[in-house]
Amino acid sequence: NFVIMDSDDSLTVVKKILKDLNYDPKVYNPRAIRNKISSCKNELISPKKYEHYAVSEYEKVVYQVYEKYEEKLHRNNSVDFDDLLLLPIKLFTEYEDIKENYQELFKYVFIDEYQDTNETQYQLLKYLTSKNKRFTVVGDDDQSIYAWRGARPENIKVLSNDFPDLKVIKLEQNYRSTKTILNAANSVIKNNINKKDKNLWTDNSIGEKIK
């Protein structure tokens, strides 16, 4: 029976809180603060936890707004998009029987674009699959482009550590590019740290030189 707020609704709430606290929105950008709150939720950082990180004046303001923001949502029986991931984790943590019910309901889990999952999404995966361990993820750590919104390509490496029996299937053959392009791509991505080893190859022609 709760209300789901979209990003515009969340921004409106942040603006109202800044006004109530007498902070200038030109100094403390409401959209930036709203995005910071979202990032915290994606990293499972509560207002109380964030308070320990708040050192600068700006961070202390973010903490105040974050705390008021959560109070207002709770008071109005509302959740934002990030809560739709965060609250199930809280539910599964506190109520073992509910977690087990959902583990039985979702016996098989598939995740595409896995390299763009955040910490909250990964924890949700663990809760849902820790009993049956029947899941498939597809991803490429070299294609992760959403770090700015909390994506953690290192989740690919963490997955292998948390599930040692994980079967890894590498899809290294490329059907679209020439050998020249793939050789260049391999030369670039081999310099990335904390990456899974792979070597892209193709049966296609050498192709033209790269300009």
Side-chain angles (χ1 to χ4, degrees):
N1 209 23
F2 54 86
V3 176
I4 301 175
M5 303 194 311
D6 63 20
S7 54
D8 289 335
D9 296 329
S10 299
L11 186 59
T12 300
V13 172
V14 170
K15 287 178 179 177
K16 178 71 166 56
I17 293 171
L18 285 169
K19 185 177 179 181
D20 292 343
L21 294 174
N22 293 317
Y23 288 121
D24 186 352
K26 293 180 181 177
V27 178
Y28 300 99
N29 185 287
R31 192 177 298 276
I33 292 178
R34 192 275 312 273
N35 291 343
K36 183 62 181 177
I37 291 172
S38 177
S39 295
C40 285
K41 290 189 175 189
N42 286 333
E43 293 294 322
L44 298 175
I45 299 173
S46 65
K48 188 173 182 180
K49 193 174 180 180
Y50 182 74
E51 185 181 11
H52 297 295
Y53 301 125
V55 177
S56 68
E57 194 64 36
Y58 178 80
E59 290 169 333
K60 290 177 181 177
V61 171
V62 171
Y63 159 68
Q64 292 179 54
V65 176
Y66 188 10
E67 187 176 49
K68 297 286 185 186
Y69 177 85
E70 290 294 272
E71 289 173 0
K72 191 170 183 63
L73 262 61
H74 187 73
R75 196 164 55 245
N76 293 338
N77 200 32
S78 302
V79 299
D80 59 22
F81 287 149
D82 297 309
D83 289 329
L84 297 177
L85 290 171
L86 193 63
L87 293 179
I89 291 175
K90 187 173 187 290
L91 194 68
F92 294 156
T93 303
E94 296 176 1
Y95 298 95
E96 184 73 18
D97 58 329
I98 295 178
K99 182 186 74 173
E100 290 178 357
N101 284 339
Y102 276 95
Q103 286 176 337
E104 286 303 310
L105 181 63
F106 298 109
K107 291 184 178 179
Y108 299 90
V109 177
F110 175 76
I111 301 177
D112 196 13
E113 303 293 356
Y114 179 71
Q115 73 276 359
D116 290 323
T117 55
N118 56 39
E119 176 64 18
T120 309
Q121 290 167 323
Y122 180 60
Q123 292 303 322
L124 190 60
L125 167 69
K126 286 178 65 177
Y127 273 116
L128 289 174
T129 63
S130 58
K131 180 181 179 181
N132 296 316
K133 295 182 174 61
R134 290 193 287 255
F135 62 87
T136 299
V137 305
V138 178
D140 181 358
D141 48 355
D142 290 311
Q143 291 190 48
S144 182
I145 59 173
Y146 289 114
W148 57 274
R149 72 178 190 195
R152 291 162 43 94
E154 59 266 33
N155 279 353
I156 291 179
K157 185 176 182 180
V158 172
L159 192 68
S160 297
N161 296 336
D162 288 346
F163 296 91
D165 296 329
L166 186 73
K167 183 177 181 180
V168 178
I169 302 170
K170 295 183 180 182
L171 304 176
E172 297 176 303
Q173 183 173 5
N174 183 292
Y175 301 91
R176 184 182 299 170
S177 301
T178 62
K179 286 184 172 66
T180 299
I181 289 175
L182 287 185
N183 289 338
N186 284 327
S187 297
V188 172
I189 65 177
K190 74 178 182 181
N191 296 296
N192 293 334
I193 57 174
N194 297 324
K195 68 182 291 293
K196 286 286 186 181
D197 290 332
K198 60 174 160 297
N199 184 52
L200 305 179
W201 62 274
T202 183
D203 282 331
N204 292 343
S205 63
I206 295 292
E208 297 179 11
K209 289 184 178 180
I210 296 173
K211 298 178 182 178

